Amino acid sequence: MADRLNRRQMLNTSVGAATALGLGATTLLAGAQGAAAADKVTEATDADADEAAEALLKQFADGVSHTQRSPILHSPAEHGLDYEDVTFPAQDGVPLEGWFIPAPGSDKVIIANHPMGFSRSGLPTHLEPWHSLWAPSGNGFEVDFTPDLKILHDAGYNVLTYDLRNLGHSGAANGGVASGGIYEARDVVGSLNYVRARRDTRRMKIGLFSRCLGCSSTFAAMAQSPEVFHGVRCLVGPQPVTAKTILQRRLAMIGLPDEIDRLDELIIMRTSIGFARKSPIDWAKSVNVPTFLYQVRDDVLTHPSDVQTMFDNIPGTRKKLQWIEGTTARWDGYLEFQRRPEPMLDWFATHFA
């Protein structure tokens, strides 16, 4: 009885928490179905607590099984950079959109990508609906990635940055499924193939700046197509994350801490891909270039053991892990490079030399 009462208390606040934390809440509260789910949870009794929990889990699964695009609101021109709009195919032919920023006289290029739900320009979390989704978790401020491009350019690098599939302006693919890096790995391979095919970049030294989902996707690409990374000088990877870890934390925040296995079942029914297949911890064992990871240690949306285990699984000693202290906001990790770029620039410089 105590367990059921505790569950009822948690469920009575879980719709609001889901909305606040971006837990597929756009789907959860959209239309009559979402409203009905909200009413069920709010009016839950002992008899229908399980039914209400199942309804919430289904709405949650709907929201996290497929990608949701955000707009591209900034450009390199805001920082006085010349750039070229480019398009190129992923490994499987999906059209990817991006910017190429030249650094005349340089023989070095950095390829940059982005986190889940973002675009190449960042995420407008200061605006609705993104603000309401993320502000209560401490992430209600904008992430603008274009200052990163200026820093890299001024440090002497050509830059290619692009939208992953189903995000930004890149092509729709795989039914919009959020694969946690499995399909997005093909985008990483496509970006390398593109740089090696362009007349002005084909002989350049290559480094990778792969953020969050982009980093997990890079790990997956190294597991799937290791030969493509021959000659890549290094990787800087902010905040790679395991889908199961971040969703488990989110479930706890909406009062369903023990439902991760049921959520897995529901996601498999929607995407055919369960948590066991989306494993950057396992893919990290295939990382074959010098790698620098950094992560907000007290990030409320994940757990330090996730990145620590990935780091430990990277073979060899050519690796570094840096913790960001004094914040619980994941977004601070995304902005770390433009606030304190020296360690990352040193990593690039050392391995490009």
Side-chain angles (χ1 to χ4, degrees):
M1 176 65 73
D3 288 345
R4 184 174 291 275
L5 288 173
N6 187 48
R7 190 181 210 186
R8 281 185 57 211
Q9 291 167 355
M10 290 187 293
L11 285 169
N12 284 337
T13 60
S14 59
V15 168
T19 305
L21 292 167
L23 312 179
T26 301
T27 302
L28 177 64
L29 297 179
Q33 186 178 10
D39 290 342
K40 270 188 173 181
V41 172
T42 303
E43 299 169 4
T45 67
D46 288 347
D48 62 21
D50 288 342
E51 182 181 353
E54 180 71 4
L56 181 57
L57 282 168
K58 287 179 177 178
Q59 296 297 321
F60 190 178
D62 286 340
V64 301
S65 292
H66 296 84
T67 57
Q68 298 178 1
R69 294 181 189 261
S70 62
I72 299 169
L73 297 185
H74 298 283
S75 85
E78 295 174 23
H79 304 278
L81 298 173
D82 292 329
Y83 71 98
E84 175 187 352
D85 290 309
V86 298
T87 183
F88 55 91
Q91 186 181 32
D92 57 358
V94 174
L96 305 177
E97 303 294 328
W99 297 315
F100 178 72
I101 302 167
S106 170
D107 65 348
K108 301 171 291 187
V109 59
I110 301 292
I111 303 174
N113 59 25
H114 59 79
M116 179 68 179
F118 287 55
S119 73
R120 76 191 94 145
S121 79
L123 188 69
T125 332
H126 59 307
L127 303 175
E128 296 297 348
W130 300 275
H131 184 75
S132 292
L133 295 177
W134 295 109
S137 65
N139 294 294
F141 49 95
E142 183 181 20
V143 177
D144 175 6
F145 284 143
T146 57
D148 296 16
L149 309 178
K150 171 69 169 172
I151 292 167
L152 290 168
H153 173 271
D154 289 354
Y157 298 101
N158 298 274
V159 182
L160 172 68
T161 185
Y162 65 96
D163 299 323
L164 295 165
R165 65 186 57 210
N166 298 310
L167 295 165
H169 283 166
S170 286
N174 313 108
V177 164
S179 76
I182 295 171
Y183 297 140
E184 295 86 354
R186 302 170 186 174
D187 306 340
V188 176
V189 173
S191 70
L192 284 163
N193 290 341
Y194 175 67
V195 164
R196 289 167 173 154
R198 279 181 64 116
R199 180 173 298 180
D200 55 349
T201 59
R202 64 177 58 173
R203 300 188 186 282
M204 287 187 179
K205 304 169 187 174
I206 300 171
L208 304 176
F209 189 28
S210 303
R211 306 174 181 98
C212 188
L213 172 64
C215 187
S216 300
S217 303
T218 301
F219 289 176
M222 289 175 175
Q224 296 171 17
S225 305
E227 70 284 352
V228 176
F229 294 86
H230 179 71
V232 172
R233 296 304 180 98
C234 62
L235 164 66
V236 171
Q239 308 198 127
V241 66
T242 301
K244 183 176 181 178
T245 298
I246 199 166
L247 293 180
Q248 207 159 20
R249 291 298 296 266
R250 291 177 168 190
L251 283 177
M253 291 175 183
I254 63 168
L256 298 171
D258 301 321
E259 299 292 349
I260 191 66
D261 291 340
R262 178 56 181 156
L263 180 63
D264 192 24
E265 293 171 357
L266 292 169
I267 290 174
I268 290 172
M269 293 301 295
R270 288 155 175 76
T271 68
S272 303
I273 303 174
F275 293 141
R277 289 184 58 196
K278 298 185 281 192
S279 181
I281 284 176
D282 289 334
W283 300 331
K285 298 173 185 176
S286 298
V287 172
N288 54 15
V289 304
T291 298
F292 176 11
L293 304 182
Y294 57 95
Q295 166 72 40
V296 171
R297 188 190 295 274
D298 297 323
D299 178 3
V300 297
L301 297 177
T302 182
H303 193 279
S305 63
D306 189 39
V307 167
Q308 183 68 60
T309 305
M310 290 182 214
F311 177 77
D312 292 343
N313 281 353
I314 295 172
T317 60
R318 298 184 305 166
K319 59 184 182 179
K320 177 180 179 179
L321 173 58
Q322 176 175 298
W323 295 108
I324 301 165
E325 308 285 0
T327 180
T328 62
R330 185 168 181 81
W331 278 207
D332 281 326
Y334 298 143
L335 295 173
E336 180 71 7
F337 177 71
Q338 55 195 256
R339 293 169 175 170
R340 288 169 286 273
E342 291 80 12
M344 303 77 166
L345 292 177
D346 287 347
W347 190 260
F348 282 132
T350 297
H351 294 287
F352 271 95

